[in-house]
Amino acid sequence: MKGLITFSEVPSTSVVRWQKINDFLKSVDLDVSEDVELFIVAKQDDHIVACAGLSGRVLKNIAIDETIRGKGIALRLMSELLKVAYREKRSDLFLFTKPVYQEMFEDCGFKYIEQSHHEVILMENSNNIEHKKEALRAHKQEGKRIGSIVINANPFTLGHRHLVEQACLNSDWVHLFVVKEDASFFSFKDRYQLIQEGLKHIANLTIYEGSDYIISKATFPTYFIKDKCHIDSLYTELDLNIFRNHLAPQLEITHRFVGEEPICVVTNEYNQQMKKILSSPSNHPSIEVIEIPRIEYKGEPISASRVRRLMGEKNLEEISHLVPPTTYQLIEKILY
């Protein structure tokens, strides 16, 4: 007869126990998410039979051995993880999973938000998406041509400024969303401040702190996606479906502006997918994607990656031609 199932918390500092969790995840054909801070582990007869991890406010690496499925372990496992999350003052939680597990997580109190390719769904344990929509509606502006931009700006460059200026010249109003995560070289706080300072001369513009519903690729979980070549398209579709079906309608957005991408194949592919997804048949009006040509310096497009490369070389002279004064001052502080 098999023994009772017990639950325990495993912090990332517990190297030996962490390795056993890694081994268990591999045994059920799952990759390990490196950003998980702690795990709740279920053991039976000293063997791990289930686990679930917490990364910020995202639940990851949820796995249950097939021998104990259907015995209420999922609900107990999630209950234990939620206790820890609430203790850490993280009450509004998210998870990404396969559609086949949607009903199981609904039983645990999570609600469906959006999906991608019928392979990945995003769920949350609150009604935050509705609160977000209501908050956005309060910022709706009148006009026939309402533009939008989503940027990371790591850091904010003259290229970003040019993109926003062109969008605002060609729109009645523009809504600018700044990706809100700290997986970038520059912190969100610094990025947001540089953007505000660099664009304060523009009147028909609203700048938003990005939300959990503008997904960063840096935080998009991939541990349960088998075909790694498929990750980019899954991430892109989920991100754009949320934008089109949930965020854009609240502001009656008609256009989305992006910079042309002559160098990065991945970003260029994102732009092409954006055109298809935002203009495809849907319950919501289509959104036209406008690509703005990049401005150049010395024959090379101005980009944040170019600035970061020059930072590695401590080439402030070259950087000064690529960024606004406020960005330059911050970089100078960082380097010296």
Side-chain angles (χ1 to χ4, degrees):
M1 180 182 293
K2 294 201 172 185
L4 293 174
I5 295 176
T6 59
F7 294 84
S8 62
E9 180 181 338
V10 182
S12 59
T13 52
S14 182
V15 178
V16 174
R17 297 175 72 191
W18 207 264
Q19 183 57 52
K20 290 181 179 179
I21 295 170
N22 288 352
D23 294 341
F24 169 70
L25 288 170
K26 288 177 182 176
S27 74
V28 292
D29 203 22
L30 291 178
D31 294 330
V32 179
S33 297
E34 294 181 359
D35 58 350
V36 170
E37 302 160 58
L38 59 85
F39 275 99
I40 292 297
V41 169
K43 297 182 79 173
Q44 185 177 53
D45 297 329
D46 204 36
H47 294 290
I48 296 176
V49 290
C51 69
L54 180 65
S55 172
R57 292 190 294 117
V58 180
L59 310 187
K60 295 184 177 182
N61 282 140
I62 301 168
I64 301 173
D65 190 278
E66 61 180 13
T67 61
I68 60 166
R69 290 177 187 172
K71 299 182 180 180
I73 298 301
L75 184 57
R76 291 174 60 191
L77 180 70
M78 293 295 288
S79 295
E80 293 296 325
L81 186 58
L82 292 179
K83 284 180 190 176
V84 174
Y86 296 154
R87 182 194 72 201
E88 300 296 323
K89 304 190 185 312
R90 306 176 196 178
S91 55
D92 300 324
L93 302 167
F94 298 85
L95 63 83
F96 300 79
T97 188
K98 296 178 180 179
V100 68
Y101 298 125
Q102 179 178 337
E103 185 176 346
M104 180 185 78
F105 287 117
E106 285 177 342
D107 290 341
C108 297
F110 282 77
K111 303 177 184 70
Y112 170 91
I113 296 176
E114 194 54 79
Q115 68 172 300
S116 172
H117 285 37
H118 304 292
E119 292 181 45
V120 176
I121 61 173
L122 173 64
M123 305 183 75
E124 66 177 355
N125 70 332
S126 64
N127 284 316
N128 264 0
I129 186 71
E130 297 306 321
H131 298 322
K132 180 63 178 177
K133 291 179 184 179
E134 184 179 354
L136 284 177
R137 285 194 291 272
H139 293 281
K140 187 169 76 72
Q141 300 288 334
E142 297 301 320
K144 293 183 178 179
R145 193 176 174 98
I146 303 299
S148 63
I149 302 173
V150 178
I151 60 173
N152 191 312
N154 182 36
F156 184 68
T157 69
L158 294 177
H160 294 113
R161 190 174 73 182
H162 175 74
L163 169 63
V164 178
E165 287 174 340
Q166 291 302 304
C168 290
L169 282 173
N170 290 279
S171 305
D172 296 305
W173 201 270
V174 172
H175 299 279
L176 171 63
F177 300 90
V178 185
V179 175
K180 191 176 183 180
E181 44 84 5
D182 274 323
S184 303
F185 182 88
F186 289 83
S187 70
F188 170 74
K189 180 181 177 182
D190 286 340
R191 290 186 292 109
Y192 190 72
Q193 184 175 348
L194 292 177
I195 290 167
Q196 285 186 309
E197 292 174 348
L199 299 173
K200 60 186 178 184
H201 60 291
I202 301 178
N204 59 329
L205 175 68
T206 303
I207 303 174
Y208 302 87
E209 293 188 3
S211 69
D212 298 300
Y213 307 104
I214 293 179
I215 301 171
S216 163
K217 191 174 179 183
T219 56
F220 180 67
T222 61
Y223 64 91
F224 59 86
I225 300 171
K226 296 295 175 284
D227 184 359
K228 301 307 178 187
C229 296
H230 201 29
I231 289 172
D232 286 334
S233 61
L234 289 172
Y235 154 74
T236 298
E237 183 176 333
L238 182 62
D239 180 52
L240 293 173
N241 281 345
I242 293 172
F243 183 82
R244 180 176 180 182
N245 298 331
H246 298 276
L247 306 183
Q250 317 312 317
L251 298 167
E252 297 184 4
I253 288 170
T254 61
H255 292 75
R256 181 153 163 178
F257 293 85
V258 296
E260 282 185 348
E261 185 46 72
I263 298 175
C264 179
V265 175
V266 174
T267 304
N268 182 61
E269 178 61 27
Y270 183 92
N271 287 355
Q272 301 317 307
Q273 275 196 267
M274 187 187 304
K275 291 177 183 178
K276 294 177 184 177
I277 293 171
L278 295 187
S279 64
S280 64
S282 167
N283 293 328
H284 301 288
S286 64
I287 298 170
E288 184 179 352
V289 176
I290 306 294
E291 287 188 282
I292 302 295
R294 296 274 193 122
I295 57 172
E296 299 183 348
Y297 176 70
K298 290 186 177 180
E300 183 183 346
I302 295 176
S303 67
S305 59
R306 182 178 176 184
V307 173
R308 294 195 303 273
R309 184 181 74 241
L310 291 169
M311 286 179 67
E313 300 168 3
K314 295 193 174 183
N315 190 341
L316 284 172
E317 165 59 27
E318 197 83 352
I319 290 172
S320 68
H321 298 282
L322 308 180
V323 300
T326 47
T327 301
Y328 180 83
Q329 289 163 13
L330 177 60
I331 291 174
E332 191 175 35
K333 279 184 183 178
I334 292 171
L335 295 182
Y336 297 99

